[in-house]
C-alpha cells in the first residue's frame, strides 16, 4: 500500500529523518535520479493526465494533478517501487491529488450550495456525458458508490487488469481488489438491467440518486 | 482456478462495457506536450526534499495560506466586537466562553441538540442585518486554505465567494435563458440570501420552508441511498450554519429539526478543521461519513468534516467557520 503524499503531512520527526537520508543520497546520485525520473515522467505523465481528466473533467484541474503527482514522486524518488509497480504507484499518488481537487470543488459548491438547485431539473445524466458514454452507462456509473466506479475506471480506461496492481493503486490486498472488481461488475450489470427494464417511477429515482451521489 | 476465471471474465466484461466510453482523448496536442516538458523541467530543477509542500510559479498554481494559527486564536475569542461600523461576531459570539477541552457527554444526538436549542432560545437576539447589507463569512479548510464569502442579506444583490461572483436569481435566470431544452430552474431571492428572516421555528414548517428554497431536496428519496433523510437534512443545516447569519432562535430551530430526523449520532470528542475541540453530530451516506461540529460549551457552529468511504478518518476534509460579520458592501473587510 502506498501512503506517500497523502493530504495529511507526515510527522515532523519523520520528515527530518527522510530529509537527512535524501540529502545524503542526493549528493551521490542526483544525476542518475534526474535522468531516471525524466524517463518515467515522459513515459507516464500522459497517462496520469488522462487519469485525472477522466475523473475531474477539466484540463486545468488535470494539469494540477500531474504537477502534484510528479512533484510528490520526485520528492520521494528514493522510495519508488519496482519498475513494474511504478505506474500503480503514480496512480495512487494521483488519486490523492484528485481527491484534494474534488474537496476544493465541493467546498466551493457548498458555499453556494443552494444555487446548485437552480440547475435545470429532469435530465438524468449530464448531456455531455450522454454523448460520449450513452445515457444508460453514464447513469449507471453515477449511481454506483465511488469505490466501485473507481475500480471500473481503472480496469476499463487505465488498463489496470491485474488484481495485485489494482490493489496497489487502491490500497487493498489482491484478494480484496478481486472481490471489489466482482462486486462492481455485478452492481453495474444490475443497474444496466434495471435501465433496460425500468420499474414505474424509476426515472425520478435515477435523477435524485445521481444528484445525491455527486453532491454528498 | 474458478475465482481467477471469474475475475478474468469480469475484467473482460467491464472492458467491453466501458471501452468505447472513455471521456479522455488518447492524443496530446502540441500545447499539452510543451506544458509537460516545462513541468518536467520545473520539477527536476527543485531540490528533492520529502515531506514538505512547496509552491512555485508555473507548476503549482494553488498557493497555500499560512495564517492559520493566528486565525485559530481569533476564532477562539468569544466576544462580539464592533469595528468601523460593522458588527463582527465569532461563531460563539454573545454566548458563554468556548470550552477549552472536551466535555463529558452521555446524551443521544437528539438529547444534545434539544438541550442546545433550549440554551439558545434563552438568549437575547442580536440586531439582524439590514436588507441592503451583506453577510460576511470566513472559513478555513483542513489543509489551510482560507475562503471569504459575502452574501447579500436579502439575496437581491450579487455576492462574492472565493473571488467569484454569486449571481442573484435574476442574473441566473438571464444566464439560463434558451435553449428551450434546458428549462429555467425555480428561483427565489432567499436561495442566495445571507439572512432568512422568515425561517420558521417549528420543525415541520421549517422543513417545508427549506424545501421551498431548495436547501432540502424536494425528493423523492433515491432507493439506492441509505440514510437519505439524515444526509439531506444534515447538509441543509450545515449549508445554513456555514453561510448565513442566524439568530439564536433560528439556530435552535435548526437543531430541533436535526433532533427530529432519524439517522444522527453524537461523537463527544472531535476536533474541527483547525483543531478546536467540539462535539460532532454525525451521519453516514453512501460515499462516507459527515459531521457538523459544535462547541460543547456554547453550542456554536464550529464547522464540518467529511471522511470519504475507503479513506482513513485522519484524512478528513473539513471547513472551520472563523468569522461571521455584517458589512455594507460585497468585498468589504469587517
Amino acid at each position: 500500500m502506498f501512503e506517500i503524499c497523502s493530504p495529511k503531512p507526515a510527522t515532523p520527526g519523520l520528515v527530518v529523518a527522510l530529509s537527512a537520508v535524501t540529502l545524503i543520497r542526493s549528493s551521490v546520485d542526483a544525476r542518475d535520479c534526474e535522468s531516471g525520473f525524466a524517463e518515467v515522467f515522459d513515459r507516464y505523465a500522459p497517462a496520469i493526465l488522462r487519469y485525472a481528466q477522466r475523473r475531474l473533467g477539466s484540463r486545468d484541474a488535470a494539469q494540477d494533478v500531474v504537477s502534484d503527482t510528479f512533484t510528490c514522486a520526485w520528492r520521494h524518488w528514493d522510495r519508488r517501487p519496482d519498475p513494474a509497480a511504478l505506474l500503480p504507484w503514480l496512480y495512487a499518488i494521483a488519486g490523492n491529488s484528485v481527491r484534494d481537487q474534488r474537496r476544493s470543488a465541493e467546498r466551493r459548491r457548498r458555499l453556494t450550495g443552494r444555487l446548485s438547485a437552480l440547475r435545470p431539473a429532469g435530465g438524468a445524466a449530464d448531456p455531455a456525458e450522454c454523448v460520449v458514454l450513452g445515457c444508460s452507462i453514464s447513469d449507471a456509473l453515477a449511481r454506483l458508490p465511488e469505490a466501485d466506479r473507481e475500480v471500473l475506471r481503472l480496469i476499463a480506461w487505465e488498463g489496470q487488469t491485474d488484481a495485485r496492481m489494482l490493489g496497489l493503486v487502491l490500497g487493498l490486498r489482491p484478494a480484496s481488489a478481486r472481490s471489489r472488481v466482482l462486486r462492481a461488475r455485478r452492481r453495474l450489470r444490475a443497474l444496466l438491467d434495471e435501465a433496460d427494464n425500468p420499474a414505474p417511477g424509476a426515472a425520478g429515482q435515477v435523477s435524485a440518486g445521481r444528484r445525491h451521489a455527486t453532491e454528498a | 482456478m474458478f475465482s481467477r476465471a471469474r475475475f478474468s471474465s469480469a475484467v473482460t466484461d467491464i472492458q467491453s462495457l466501458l471501452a468505447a466510453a472513455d471521456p479522455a482523448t488518447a492524443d496530446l496536442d502540441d500545447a499539452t506536450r510543451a506544458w509537460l516538458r516545462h513541468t518536467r523541467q520545473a520539477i527536476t530543477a527543485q531540490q528533492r526534499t520529502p515531506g514538505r509542500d512547496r509552491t512555485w510559479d508555473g507548476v503549482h498554481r494553488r498557493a497555500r495560506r499560512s495564517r492559520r494559527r493566528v486565525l485559530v486564536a481569533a476564532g477562539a475569542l468569544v466576544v462580539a466586537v464592533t469595528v468601523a461600523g460593522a458588527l463582527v461576531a465569532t461563531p460563539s459570539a454573545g454566548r458563554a466562553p468556548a470550552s477549552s477541552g472536551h466535555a463529558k457527554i452521555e446524551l443521544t444526538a437528539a438529547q444534545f441538540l434539544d438541550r442546545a436549542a433550549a440554551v439558545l432560545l434563552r438568549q437575547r437576539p442580536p440586531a439582524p442585518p439590514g436588507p441592503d447589507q451583506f453577510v460576511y463569512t470566513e472559513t478555513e479548510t483542513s489543509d489551510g486554505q482560507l475562503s471569504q464569502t459575502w452574501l447579500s442579506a436579502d439575496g437581491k444583490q450579487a455576492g462574492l465567494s472565493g473571488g467569484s461572483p454569486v449571481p442573484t436569481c435574476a442574473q441566473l435566470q438571464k444566464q439560463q435563458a434558451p435553449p428551450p431544452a434546458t428549462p429555467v430552474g425555480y428561483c427565489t431571492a432567499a436561495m442566495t440570501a445571507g439572512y432568512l428572516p422568515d425561517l420558521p421555528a417549528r420543525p415541520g414548517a421549517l422543513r417545508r420552508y427549506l424545501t421551498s428554497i431548495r436547501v432540502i431536496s424536494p425528493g423523492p428519496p433515491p432507493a439506492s441511498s441509505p440514510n437519505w433523510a439524515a444526509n439531506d437534512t444534515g447538509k441543509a443545516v450545515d449549508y445554513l450554519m456555514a453561510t448565513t447569519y442566524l439568530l439564536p432562535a433560528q439556530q435552535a430551530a435548526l437543531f430541533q429539526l436535526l433532533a427530529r430526523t432519524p439517522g444522527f449520532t453524537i461523537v463527544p470528542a472531535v476536533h474541527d478543521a483547525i483543531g478546536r475541540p467540539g462535539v460532532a453530530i454525525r451521519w453516514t451516506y453512501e460515499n462516507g461519513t459527515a459531521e457538523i461540529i459544535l462547541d460543547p460549551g456554547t453550542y456554536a457552529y464550529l464547522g464540518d468534516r467529511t471522511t470519504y468511504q475507503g479513506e482513513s478518518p485522519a484524512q478528513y476534509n473539513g471547513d472551520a467557520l472563523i468569522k461571521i460579520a455584517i458589512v455594507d458592501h460585497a468585498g468589504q473587510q469587517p
Side-chain angles (χ1 to χ4, degrees):
Chain A
M1 191 182 299
F2 304 128
E3 290 193 351
I4 64 169
C5 297
S6 65
K8 291 285 157 190
T11 58
L14 180 61
V15 170
V16 170
L18 287 171
S19 301
V21 169
T22 305
L23 286 173
I24 293 164
R25 283 196 196 167
S26 64
S27 63
V28 178
D29 61 6
R31 189 170 300 173
D32 288 349
C33 262
E34 192 170 327
S35 64
F37 177 85
E39 197 180 313
V40 167
F41 185 98
D42 290 345
R43 187 184 306 158
Y44 294 134
I48 299 297
L49 184 68
R50 283 192 286 271
Y51 168 94
Q53 248 188 302
R54 285 164 183 141
R55 284 149 185 82
L56 298 170
S58 144
R59 174 57 70 103
D60 284 348
Q63 288 185 337
D64 272 1
V65 169
V66 171
S67 294
D68 287 349
T69 301
F70 282 95
T71 300
C72 170
W74 176 240
R75 291 209 312 261
H76 296 83
W77 198 235
D78 293 333
R79 294 162 58 190
R80 68 188 178 277
D82 294 340
L86 263 178
L87 186 56
W89 181 60
L90 292 169
Y91 281 141
I93 301 172
N96 284 332
S97 179
V98 164
R99 279 189 285 277
D100 276 354
Q101 296 271 346
R102 282 195 186 134
R103 289 178 177 125
S104 300
E106 270 188 31
R107 276 182 212 116
R108 286 194 297 276
R109 189 162 54 224
R110 200 204 61 166
L111 282 169
T112 53
R114 284 168 276 169
L115 293 173
S116 64
L118 303 182
R119 288 188 208 119
D126 185 331
E129 279 183 2
C130 273
V131 171
V132 184
L133 294 178
C135 289
S136 59
I137 288 275
S138 171
D139 268 341
L141 277 178
R143 290 174 66 189
L144 287 170
E146 175 57 25
D148 289 349
R149 263 201 303 272
E150 181 59 11
V151 80
L152 293 173
R153 288 186 294 232
L154 284 168
I155 289 172
W157 298 338
E158 269 77 43
Q160 297 296 301
T161 57
D162 179 275
R164 193 173 73 89
M165 295 303 164
L166 278 170
L168 289 176
V169 179
L170 297 170
L172 298 172
R173 291 195 186 88
S176 306
R178 209 172 282 126
S179 11
R180 186 172 294 182
V181 171
L182 296 176
R183 183 187 70 187
R185 183 242 198 165
R186 190 174 63 242
R187 288 180 174 167
L188 177 67
R189 274 280 172 205
L191 287 171
L192 290 174
D193 290 347
E194 191 184 306
D196 288 342
N197 305 292
Q205 289 188 1
V206 169
S207 179
R210 178 185 171 77
R211 183 173 59 243
H212 193 67
T214 50
E215 281 184 12
Chain B
M1 268 169 69
F2 174 70
S3 65
R4 285 191 190 282
R6 210 151 61 105
F7 176 75
S8 298
S9 147
V11 164
T12 310
D13 190 34
I14 291 163
Q15 285 174 322
S16 70
L17 283 170
L18 297 180
D22 188 348
T25 51
D27 296 326
L28 302 179
D29 56 29
D30 289 344
T32 306
R33 285 181 203 284
W35 177 83
L36 284 172
R37 274 195 302 276
H38 166 77
T39 301
R40 189 190 71 197
Q41 285 160 4
I43 290 171
T44 52
Q46 301 300 307
Q47 189 179 3
R48 286 183 299 127
T49 309
R52 192 177 301 162
D53 276 330
R54 291 166 299 161
T55 57
W56 64 91
D57 290 338
V59 175
H60 277 284
R61 285 175 287 140
R62 291 166 297 133
R64 302 207 165 172
R65 312 279 292 271
S66 60
R67 293 169 47 206
R68 174 176 185 146
R69 291 301 146 206
V70 175
L71 285 162
V72 173
L77 289 173
V78 198
V79 288
V81 189
T82 303
V83 180
L87 176 68
V88 179
T90 68
S92 304
R95 300 175 200 129
S99 63
S100 56
H102 291 306
K104 188 176 179 183
I105 293 169
E106 293 175 353
L107 302 171
T108 64
Q111 287 168 336
F112 178 82
L113 289 162
D114 279 336
R115 180 175 293 189
V119 169
L120 289 168
L121 284 170
R122 288 198 294 270
Q123 291 179 359
R124 186 188 297 179
D132 294 336
Q133 290 185 297
F134 283 79
V135 174
Y136 168 87
T137 50
E138 186 171 315
T139 56
E140 182 172 359
T141 66
S142 42
D143 54 4
Q145 294 176 20
L146 290 170
S147 180
Q148 296 175 308
T149 296
W150 290 263
L151 289 182
S152 155
D154 64 2
K156 292 179 181 168
Q157 300 178 70
L160 267 178
S161 179
S164 304
V166 177
T168 63
C169 268
Q171 289 168 336
L172 266 168
Q173 284 176 323
K174 270 187 195 166
Q175 287 169 14
Q176 288 198 350
T182 54
V184 173
Y186 167 84
C187 196
T188 74
M191 285 178 168
T192 55
Y195 174 61
L196 299 166
D198 300 330
L199 208 65
R202 297 171 65 85
L206 178 56
R207 180 178 290 282
R208 283 193 294 279
Y209 176 79
L210 294 180
T211 306
S212 78
I213 64 168
R214 300 298 196 268
V215 172
I216 287 181
S217 303
S224 59
S225 297
N227 221 11
W228 180 84
N231 189 31
D232 214 35
T233 310
K235 283 194 301 181
V237 171
D238 191 40
Y239 288 157
L240 291 176
M241 294 198 145
T243 59
T244 55
Y245 192 93
L246 294 164
L247 299 176
Q250 295 181 317
Q251 290 190 43
L254 292 173
F255 286 159
Q256 286 168 339
L257 177 63
L258 290 180
R260 275 146 197 76
T261 306
F264 293 103
T265 56
I266 189 166
V267 188
V270 299
H271 289 91
D272 75 357
I274 56 171
R276 295 177 293 191
V279 174
I281 303 300
R282 175 181 287 180
W283 68 96
T284 57
Y285 64 102
E286 68 267 34
N287 286 337
T289 301
E291 294 169 344
I292 289 173
I293 302 177
L294 305 173
D295 185 295
T298 65
Y299 306 112
Y301 173 84
L302 296 179
D304 59 28
R305 302 196 328 180
T306 304
T307 303
Y308 296 97
Q309 202 175 48
E311 287 189 346
S312 151
Q315 287 186 317
Y316 68 82
N317 160 44
D319 284 359
L321 179 63
I322 304 223
K323 193 187 287 181
I324 301 175
I326 299 169
V327 295
D328 291 329
H329 309 286
Q332 179 188 343
Q333 295 294 331

